[in-house]
Amino acid sequence: MLNFAFQIPTKIYFGRDEQKNIGAYLKQYNPALRKLLLHYGSDRIKRCGLFDEIAASLEAAGIAFAELGGVVPNPRVGLVYEGVELCRREGVELILAVGGGSAIDSAKAIAYGALYDGDIWEVYQKGINLGKALPVAAILTIPAAGSESSKSSVITNEALELKYGHSEEVARPVLSVVNPALFATLPRAQAAYGIADIMSHIFERYFTNTAHTDVSDELCEGVLRAVMRNAPAVVNGPGGYDAWCEIAFAGSLAHNDLLGRGREEDWACHHIEHELSAVYDIAHGAGLAVLTPFWMTYVYQRNIPMFLQFATKVMGVEMNRDAERVILEAIRRLREFFRRLGLPGTLGELGIDGSRLEEMAKKANGVAFGEEEWKQGNFVTLPWQEVLEIYRMAL
Amino acid sequence: MLNFAFQIPTKIYFGRDEQKNIGAYLKQYNPALRKLLLHYGSDRIKRCGLFDEIAASLEAAGIAFAELGGVVPNPRVGLVYEGVELCRREGVELILAVGGGSAIDSAKAIAYGALYDGDIWEVYQKGINLGKALPVAAILTIPAAGSESSKSSVITNEALELKYGHSEEVARPVLSVVNPALFATLPRAQAAYGIADIMSHIFERYFTNTAHTDVSDELCEGVLRAVMRNAPAVVNGPGGYDAWCEIAFAGSLAHNDLLGRGREEDWACHHIEHELSAVYDIAHGAGLAVLTPFWMTYVYQRNIPMFLQFATKVMGVEMNRDAERVILEAIRRLREFFRRLGLPGTLGELGIDGSRLEEMAKKANGVAFGEEEWKQGNFVTLPWQEVLEIYRMAL
């Protein structure tokens, strides 16, 4: 096991009706709070009554708010600029995101930008460490990204076709409301994308060459099994509050760092997927569902015991001395599981052809920018040529 | 799943040599910190060089310290009084416990007492909510109690033969160092007591009547399996750093509240064991190892499915339509597991006879004090007569 530091600073308020207490929870966090920015995506939160519940709770707590909607999946830096401007003009003290990972990531970028004099896009592109940001809070409406308790955020520059992440402790939400009843009306596809993203967050941590990681192995495997047990119900019906609770709890755990403590993490799939989303504007979860089984197929021979553990403990394949057969059956089951959720199995199904694969592989590893290559992944280290190979397998 | 709030505010620094950074970590927590109380048990920490490492790190960070040793298992209120006095006299700003649960619990009591004008024992006996305490930090040398990241503490009044717990968020350590290399020299019996305590912390949360708790079931089961896989090595040899890492990580998770979120918890075994320790001054873990299998035997018929899940997923018993046989085999395996760690299997082995059982059962449930009875447990609610029945089974 590797040395590590660990903490979950975000206070999660989990369960029915908790959004109605958001004003009180924010006052508990900061009794002096007077004004926040309510940041969200579509008008869905107004049509379903959520906006009014939040507004009433804030009003009861004596907290004024500005509002900025319009966040889209793969959130854009253009709206971030607008939010930064608004925060300064209105004297906003905290950003309250209402939505999924996109709204929360966009809120984090605005939170950095509000206290930064330079161009916020450069912070994402160049990895500038700021050390300060307005506090962020969240009311989750799509469980997937885990952004409600993570320090990370990803912003897209649509003009440049670039998508970059930025992580600082100051951007981690101070508190988040997770009420699984709010997820009940999610479109089927979005629920499925969320499942793929949650599972990928665990896979990125699970596949490791670090020895002696029994506890975190068990945590990863257990949460993956719980997700797979409940995902078909929330995607294909009958859904229901309790199944959504499991997915939501798993979603927070998947990305609050606990499951990766003491082990080297991988993150190749996430990074090579970001290139797809940046160029083709596909849903992150859809890209992950396609790439993950191909990544597994490409890398499994480098660590057969790790994949045997995955096959038997996560995918429920019976052990057999023909190790490759056991592993390939596990990958087949994962692909079939994604398929049953209505997720795509190839890049072709996402409308992606081979014309820009090399360009994306070179961008993923930095060689497109004339920089020294950064190779993808730690479990298996992939030069851009191998990233390209995985893209090609997935066509 | 029940509504819940969740956070792990304690920052855990886990791994080799981390105690050497304690001064820097404390300065990171509070750059203005000037003086603390170093609180510990025996002189073992001086003989093994740990004390000098800590002193050097504090000195390098410009933090002065007073010291108070002498904490014993089932920590006494007498030493707490002494510590409170010392803190006031010396202008101490933080308590740094070096030791296991006893030292950390004693530190929490001193931390409350230093800011409280009344009698600190009354706080424990009457459950007075204080809302303030000096900050507490810890360097763990015995993984067991989970006190390094919990808000709870238990103090014994040896004159009154009473042992009471008190829990407030303000007493939760702000940071803790967990270096499993420090556990390597623990006496075998103490290692075994720790294992029993860790497992009990999980059992208290695991056995529940709350429905739809897939994620936390998996977390409990996974951590229990990891503990049982590594316990024989740390108790019976060959031990080693990596096995201790698993036990230590599990010990922190077992008692930082994560594993019980969204489910009703039980806590009967812990409470009825406290009466044994208070009267007979036995090790908490030894009492738990005796009582837990008898408690299981007494209650399993009230929730057969829960115990079948335990039997098959935790104890590895193969499912069979003779449910009682499956469950009784699981309890037998647990008892055998404890036995292999050198833990006692009956109260008789702890030198406890039947003479004071009724008195302890009545104290456990409050009827000894002329109060309205508080029944033990939530998974199964036990009036004092049933607590007595379990004590008698365990003789």
Side-chain angles (χ1 to χ4, degrees):
Chain A
M1 203 181 290
L2 308 176
N3 280 19
F4 64 85
F6 181 63
Q7 190 179 30
I8 303 184
T10 303
K11 188 151 191 178
I12 302 276
Y13 295 94
F14 188 104
R16 282 188 202 280
D17 290 332
E18 287 289 9
Q19 75 280 2
K20 295 179 185 167
N21 305 319
I22 184 66
Y25 294 146
L26 287 168
K27 275 289 183 188
Q28 206 171 311
Y29 161 71
N30 176 10
L33 180 66
R34 284 172 314 169
K35 184 155 194 180
L36 58 76
L37 174 67
L38 198 60
H39 191 43
Y40 57 93
S42 75
D43 275 347
R44 191 171 78 96
I45 70 162
K46 293 196 171 172
R47 292 194 308 273
C48 73
L50 177 59
F51 185 93
D52 289 341
E53 286 176 344
I54 296 166
S57 176
L58 293 176
E59 193 184 358
I63 303 168
F65 64 92
E67 60 170 294
L68 179 64
V71 183
V72 294
N74 302 318
R76 310 301 160 87
V77 72
L79 192 68
V80 171
Y81 289 136
E82 207 176 315
V84 167
E85 197 53 47
L86 185 59
C87 284
R88 289 178 183 164
R89 201 167 60 233
E90 299 267 346
V92 161
E93 300 155 327
L94 178 147
I95 323 284
L96 174 60
V98 182
S102 298
I104 305 171
D105 282 10
S106 183
K108 289 173 181 173
I110 294 172
Y112 289 125
L115 301 185
Y116 178 63
D117 286 335
D119 179 350
I120 184 63
W121 175 249
E122 288 191 0
V123 172
Y124 280 76
Q125 188 163 26
K126 298 182 182 165
I128 301 168
N129 190 64
L130 297 177
K132 60 183 178 176
L134 288 180
V136 174
I139 295 176
L140 193 67
T141 64
I142 308 170
S147 190
E148 69 278 10
S149 63
S150 84
K151 61 185 179 178
S152 54
S153 58
V154 180
I155 296 294
T156 295
N157 188 317
E158 63 274 36
L160 302 179
E161 287 186 339
L162 290 173
K163 186 172 176 179
Y164 282 116
H166 191 67
S167 286
E168 289 191 49
E169 196 54 48
V170 290
R172 195 189 293 271
V174 295
L175 64 90
S176 288
V177 164
V178 178
N179 172 3
L182 300 178
F183 312 151
T185 57
L186 269 185
R188 178 176 184 243
Q190 238 174 332
Y193 299 152
I195 302 295
D197 197 12
I198 289 170
M199 291 178 67
S200 180
H201 287 148
I202 307 176
F203 289 144
E204 300 287 13
R205 294 171 164 93
Y206 181 57
F207 289 100
T208 190
N209 300 307
T210 307
H212 298 292
T213 53
D214 285 359
V215 171
S216 51
D217 280 6
E218 290 279 9
L219 298 178
C220 289
E221 291 158 354
V223 178
L224 280 168
R225 284 190 300 264
V227 170
M228 295 181 73
R229 202 176 302 138
N230 289 279
V234 306
V235 174
N236 299 327
Y241 179 76
D242 285 305
W244 268 120
C245 277
E246 305 292 353
I247 298 297
F249 192 8
S252 281
L253 289 174
H255 209 28
N256 69 9
D257 294 343
L258 175 66
L259 274 47
R261 291 306 82 175
R263 52 202 295 142
E264 191 176 58
E265 306 181 1
D266 188 68
W267 294 99
C269 285
H270 257 69
H271 292 148
I272 70 181
E273 195 295 316
H274 282 171
E275 300 305 324
L276 299 182
S277 302
V279 172
Y280 292 98
D281 199 24
I282 60 167
H284 181 47
L288 289 168
V290 171
L291 291 176
T292 302
F294 288 105
W295 173 84
M296 289 180 172
T297 308
Y298 190 81
V299 304
Y300 77 84
Q301 283 162 323
R302 320 268 189 108
N303 191 334
I304 294 283
M306 178 83 241
F307 270 91
L308 281 178
Q309 186 177 330
F310 163 70
T312 55
K313 294 193 71 187
V314 179
M315 302 310 297
V317 184
E318 200 171 40
M319 186 55 197
N320 179 284
R321 67 183 182 276
D322 184 347
E324 298 229 1
R325 197 174 70 178
V326 171
I327 293 167
L328 291 173
E329 169 62 13
I331 297 171
R332 191 196 64 74
R333 287 188 190 183
L334 178 64
R335 193 173 269 128
E336 183 182 279
F337 170 81
F338 283 148
R339 177 68 71 192
R340 280 201 346 256
L341 300 183
L343 289 162
T346 65
L347 294 181
E349 293 170 55
L350 288 164
I352 298 173
D353 62 22
S355 60
R356 301 183 67 181
L357 299 184
E358 184 170 329
E359 171 196 342
M360 291 190 295
K362 287 181 171 169
K363 276 168 73 183
N365 285 30
V367 293
F369 314 114
E371 297 179 35
E372 197 183 343
E373 178 169 17
W374 58 77
K375 294 185 181 172
Q376 288 301 335
N378 292 303
F379 175 66
V380 168
T381 304
L382 302 168
W384 75 264
Q385 295 89 341
E386 295 194 78
V387 172
L388 177 58
E389 186 60 33
I390 293 171
Y391 283 148
R392 284 196 176 132
M393 286 166 71
L395 271 176
Chain B
M1 202 182 291
L2 308 176
N3 280 20
F4 64 86
F6 181 63
Q7 192 178 28
I8 302 183
T10 303
K11 187 150 189 179
I12 301 276
Y13 295 95
F14 188 103
R16 284 188 202 279
D17 291 332
E18 287 290 9
Q19 75 281 1
K20 295 178 185 169
N21 304 320
I22 185 67
Y25 294 148
L26 287 168
K27 275 289 184 186
Q28 205 172 312
Y29 161 70
N30 175 9
L33 180 66
R34 283 172 314 171
K35 184 155 194 181
L36 58 76
L37 174 67
L38 198 61
H39 190 44
Y40 58 94
S42 75
D43 275 347
R44 192 172 78 96
I45 69 161
K46 293 197 171 171
R47 292 195 307 274
C48 72
L50 177 58
F51 185 92
D52 289 341
E53 286 176 343
I54 296 166
S57 177
L58 294 175
E59 193 183 356
I63 303 169
F65 64 92
E67 60 169 295
L68 178 64
V71 183
V72 294
N74 301 318
R76 310 303 160 86
V77 72
L79 191 69
V80 172
Y81 289 135
E82 209 177 311
V84 167
E85 197 53 46
L86 185 59
C87 284
R88 289 178 184 162
R89 202 168 59 234
E90 299 266 348
V92 161
E93 300 156 327
L94 177 146
I95 323 285
L96 174 61
V98 181
S102 298
I104 305 171
D105 282 12
S106 183
K108 289 173 182 173
I110 294 171
Y112 289 125
L115 300 186
Y116 178 61
D117 286 335
D119 179 351
I120 184 64
W121 174 249
E122 289 191 359
V123 172
Y124 281 76
Q125 187 163 25
K126 298 181 182 167
I128 301 168
N129 191 63
L130 296 178
K132 59 183 178 178
L134 288 180
V136 174
I139 295 176
L140 193 67
T141 65
I142 308 172
S147 190
E148 71 278 10
S149 64
S150 84
K151 61 186 178 178
S152 54
S153 57
V154 180
I155 295 294
T156 295
N157 187 316
E158 61 275 35
L160 303 178
E161 288 186 337
L162 290 174
K163 186 172 176 178
Y164 282 116
H166 191 68
S167 286
E168 291 191 47
E169 196 54 47
V170 290
R172 195 189 294 270
V174 294
L175 65 90
S176 289
V177 164
V178 178
N179 172 2
L182 299 178
F183 313 151
T185 58
L186 269 184
R188 177 175 186 243
Q190 238 174 333
Y193 299 152
I195 304 293
D197 197 13
I198 290 169
M199 291 178 66
S200 180
H201 287 148
I202 307 175
F203 288 145
E204 301 287 13
R205 294 170 162 93
Y206 181 57
F207 289 100
T208 190
N209 300 308
T210 307
H212 298 291
T213 53
D214 284 359
V215 171
S216 51
D217 280 7
E218 291 278 8
L219 298 178
C220 289
E221 291 157 356
V223 179
L224 280 167
R225 284 190 301 263
V227 170
M228 295 182 72
R229 201 176 302 137
N230 289 281
V234 306
V235 173
N236 299 326
Y241 178 77
D242 286 305
W244 269 121
C245 278
E246 306 291 352
I247 299 296
F249 193 8
S252 281
L253 290 175
H255 208 29
N256 69 9
D257 294 346
L258 174 66
L259 274 46
R261 292 305 82 176
R263 51 203 295 142
E264 191 176 57
E265 305 181 3
D266 188 68
W267 295 98
C269 285
H270 257 69
H271 291 147
I272 69 180
E273 195 295 316
H274 282 172
E275 300 306 324
L276 298 182
S277 302
V279 171
Y280 292 98
D281 198 24
I282 60 167
H284 181 47
L288 289 168
V290 170
L291 290 176
T292 302
F294 288 105
W295 173 83
M296 289 180 171
T297 307
Y298 189 82
V299 305
Y300 78 84
Q301 284 163 323
R302 319 267 188 108
N303 191 334
I304 295 282
M306 178 83 241
F307 269 91
L308 282 178
Q309 187 176 331
F310 163 69
T312 55
K313 293 193 70 187
V314 178
M315 302 309 298
V317 184
E318 199 173 41
M319 186 53 198
N320 178 286
R321 66 183 182 275
D322 184 347
E324 299 230 359
R325 197 174 69 177
V326 171
I327 293 168
L328 291 173
E329 169 61 13
I331 298 173
R332 191 195 65 71
R333 287 187 191 183
L334 178 64
R335 192 173 270 127
E336 184 183 278
F337 170 80
F338 284 149
R339 177 68 70 191
R340 280 203 345 260
L341 300 183
L343 289 162
T346 65
L347 294 182
E349 292 169 56
L350 288 165
I352 298 174
D353 62 20
S355 61
R356 300 183 67 179
L357 299 183
E358 184 170 327
E359 172 196 340
M360 292 190 295
K362 286 179 171 170
K363 277 167 74 182
N365 284 30
V367 292
F369 313 114
E371 297 180 35
E372 196 181 343
E373 177 170 17
W374 58 77
K375 294 185 180 172
Q376 288 301 336
N378 292 304
F379 175 66
V380 168
T381 306
L382 302 168
W384 73 265
Q385 295 90 341
E386 295 194 77
V387 172
L388 178 58
E389 187 58 34
I390 292 170
Y391 282 148
R392 286 198 173 129
M393 287 166 70
L395 271 175

